[in-house]
Amino acid sequence: MQIIISNSSKEPIYEQITNQIKSSILSGEIQEGEAIPSMRQLAKDLQISVITTKRAYEELEKEGFIYSIVGKGSFVAEQNLEIIREKKLKVIEEQLSAVITNSREIGLSLDELHQLLDLLYEE
């Protein structure tokens, strides 16, 4: 599992970590039950504060992506594919709502938006 932190991103570092670990879990790169780096090791590898990695791991645990065992570490939790699909659909709906708002603001028609979506989807 490789995590890349961008200092130029508007996204906080803990969210960058959280999103990249989620992506690795959802893509199957890291499997259910597999250990992930300790908070301290990840902080050392990324040259960031342990507090930042702790916050990322707490978010992942709260969302059900990982679980922690005191003295043993953090592990990938079993994933219910239907729940994951619902979470992804919710994110897509939120992003599409923002796209629709932006499109309306610049006067983009629904037909033009469809064309743009078709073009991007094919890439």
Side-chain angles (χ1 to χ4, degrees), residues 36-85:
I36 60 174
S38 72
M39 289 180 224
R40 282 184 173 75
Q41 184 61 52
L42 186 60
K44 182 180 174 188
D45 292 347
L46 298 175
Q47 299 178 345
I48 59 172
S49 167
V50 174
I51 294 168
T52 303
T53 56
K54 183 178 189 298
R55 183 163 182 195
Y57 279 36
E58 286 172 348
E59 290 291 318
L60 288 164
E61 197 160 354
K62 185 171 72 175
E63 293 179 30
F65 282 91
I66 65 170
Y67 63 94
S68 298
I69 300 173
V70 177
K72 295 200 179 215
S74 298
F75 304 87
V76 176
E78 179 180 336
Q79 300 297 310
N80 180 325
L81 296 179
E82 191 59 35
I83 291 173
I84 291 170
R85 187 176 191 287

Side-chain angles (χ1 to χ4, degrees), residues 5 9 15 17-18 22-23 25-26 31-32 38-39 41 50-51 62 77 79-80 82 89 93 98 110-111 120:
I5 300 300
S9 174
E15 281 185 17
I17 294 168
T18 302
K22 280 184 199 177
S23 179
I25 292 169
L26 294 174
Q31 301 291 316
E32 170 186 324
S38 72
M39 289 180 224
Q41 184 61 52
V50 174
I51 294 168
K62 185 171 72 175
Q79 300 297 310
N80 180 325
E82 191 59 35
L89 274 174
E93 287 172 6
L110 181 59
D111 194 42
L120 292 173

Side-chain angles (χ1 to χ4, degrees), residues 86-104:
E86 286 300 318
K87 286 180 184 179
K88 284 289 190 184
L89 274 174
K90 184 179 178 204
V91 169
I92 291 168
E93 287 172 6
E94 290 169 358
Q95 291 172 339
L96 285 174
S97 291
V99 167
I100 290 168
T101 300
N102 289 333
S103 298
R104 287 180 176 151

Side-chain angles (χ1 to χ4, degrees), residues 100 103-104 107-116:
I100 290 168
S103 298
R104 287 180 176 151
L108 195 67
S109 72
L110 181 59
D111 194 42
E112 290 171 313
L113 186 58
H114 275 284
Q115 290 173 7
L116 182 58

